Amino acid sequence: MTTWPTERSHRRAFTLIEVLVVIAIIGLLIALLLPAVQAAREAARRAQCANHLKQLGLAVHSYCDINDALPPAASTGPEWSNNFSMKVRILPFLEQGALFDSLNMSFFQESAPNATCLTTMVSTFLCPSDGNVPCGTYPVSGLAPRQVGYTSYPNNLGTTPTNNGGQYDGPAYFMGAAGIPSVARLAPIVTLASITDGTANTALWSEMVRGKNGTTIEGPNQVYRMAMSPPATNAYVPLVIYLNACRNATTLAGFDSKGQVWGSDFAAQGGGYSHIMTPNLKACLFQSQSLPVEYSALCVGASSFHPGGVNVGFLDGSVRFVKDSVNPQTWWGIATKAGGEVIDAGSL
């Protein structure tokens, strides 16, 4: 009997068109998936940022429990040597007691005894959505320049002292200012009892996009210079005038180091921020204003890389996400500690 070989089956290969279709489908799926992945990552970063602000708020309450007052925004020790930020005061309540103990507040921030502390990076002071590095080194007396410890979280100074009899209208004050006439008006100590607007309606911390170490590229890292001069002491200027002047500013101030030193009280350099500009608008100095700035009418406000708004920590310890579209009157209202404004929680 003759056995015939069986016919071998042939497998059909993919055609070029089929391969291209598969690649196109895979590319489309990746294109659809990536934004979702990025959104999920940003949501996680925003949550971590809010948690940092929560920790800062709880640390302030722990400070209040012991000292019966909020931590000062600065102090006026001999020759301004004790002008450390609010964040320095709460280090022991952020499990950073050893770092706080390394400070000697009898010396300037830039003095060698304080170099170890103020050039230390503290993760609680950093927003994970902001990768900007505001400056490469920090001058330390008698030592080679060192990498500075920078920050994303300034404390609320309020609106502007010049509209409020020379005093901060936010939860900020200068400790020990009574003996220095030029700043004595900022001296009244702030306690929780003095927050008559309510702790849930008074901002304490927010975010600030850090600078990029001198770059001239425009963006939220920059500070601009307004086409108006600083107001005279105690001269009342409607906040909307400041807001519009800053919004229209186009000249860079030559200062791109926002948040550069977490230990400094200087506004826009690691210390405070104001509530003149609503979230994520431009940051500005006046036409002839120089840095550092401590307590003048300053248009450097809250900003972030979170889409649509900024995280704000309130005096009751809560953290809320405030949209860029917030009404200016509402934003100004949560800036003050005793302004008597009626704040609708749904308007934030």
Side-chain angles (χ1 to χ4, degrees), residues 112 114-117 119 135-140 143-149:
N114 293 323
T116 298
C117 180
T119 56
C135 57
T137 57
Y138 185 59
V140 180
L143 300 174
R146 300 185 178 193
Q147 174 66 50
V148 73

Side-chain angles (χ1 to χ4, degrees), residues 56-341:
L56 294 178
L58 294 177
V60 167
H61 276 270
S62 297
Y63 181 100
C64 287
D65 289 343
I66 294 175
N67 298 281
D68 296 322
L70 270 66
S75 296
T76 56
E79 299 180 357
W80 296 88
S81 62
N82 202 328
N83 57 340
F84 294 92
S85 71
M86 184 182 285
K87 288 180 284 295
V88 167
R89 319 286 171 176
I90 62 174
L91 282 173
F93 308 102
L94 293 169
E95 299 184 352
Q96 295 290 342
L99 196 59
F100 181 80
D101 291 340
S102 71
L103 277 174
N104 188 329
M105 291 191 178
S106 298
F107 292 90
F108 286 102
Q109 298 166 29
E110 298 86 352
S111 299
N114 293 323
T116 298
C117 180
L118 299 186
T119 56
T120 298
M121 301 299 297
V122 179
S123 60
T124 309
F125 297 157
L126 300 173
C127 174
S129 292
D130 188 353
N132 290 354
V133 177
C135 57
T137 57
Y138 185 59
V140 180
S141 301
L143 300 174
R146 300 185 178 193
Q147 174 66 50
V148 73
Y150 43 84
T151 183
S152 302
Y153 306 122
N155 60 281
N156 170 31
L157 300 175
T159 56
T160 169
T162 57
N163 279 12
N164 299 282
Q167 295 184 3
Y168 287 133
D169 58 351
Y173 66 98
F174 273 38
M175 182 175 66
I180 302 178
S182 63
V183 294
R185 60 189 183 277
L186 303 170
I189 293 174
V190 178
T191 64
L192 288 178
S194 65
I195 313 295
T196 58
D197 284 352
T199 56
N201 295 324
T202 305
L204 179 59
W205 305 98
S206 191
E207 307 176 72
M208 179 185 292
V209 171
R210 301 191 295 263
K212 287 187 177 180
N213 195 20
T215 179
T216 57
I217 299 174
E218 296 198 34
N221 55 291
Q222 288 289 359
V223 178
Y224 296 79
R225 196 169 292 282
M226 296 184 290
M228 64 181 296
S229 299
T233 302
N234 297 344
Y236 181 85
V237 177
L239 297 180
V240 69
I241 292 180
Y242 292 133
L243 187 148
N244 288 333
C246 183
R247 192 198 297 266
N248 295 327
T250 57
T251 303
L252 296 182
F255 169 71
D256 188 30
S257 296
K258 288 197 299 179
Q260 73 177 119
V261 189
W262 62 256
S264 170
D265 73 302
F266 296 142
Q269 291 180 276
Y273 78 104
S274 78
H275 270 246
I276 296 175
M277 308 303 294
T278 53
N280 287 312
L281 290 184
K282 290 178 180 175
C284 296
L285 300 179
F286 291 102
Q287 195 169 41
S288 57
Q289 195 171 30
S290 60
L291 291 166
V293 177
E294 303 212 44
Y295 52 83
S296 64
L298 185 77
C299 295
V300 179
S303 56
S304 80
F305 285 123
H306 307 308
V310 295
N311 285 313
V312 177
F314 287 79
L315 259 171
D316 66 344
S318 66
V319 179
R320 283 174 264 176
F321 190 74
V322 179
K323 297 177 181 178
D324 294 342
S325 58
V326 63
N327 185 289
Q329 297 290 341
T330 301
W331 183 246
W332 300 335
I334 65 172
T336 66
K337 61 181 180 290
E341 302 91 350

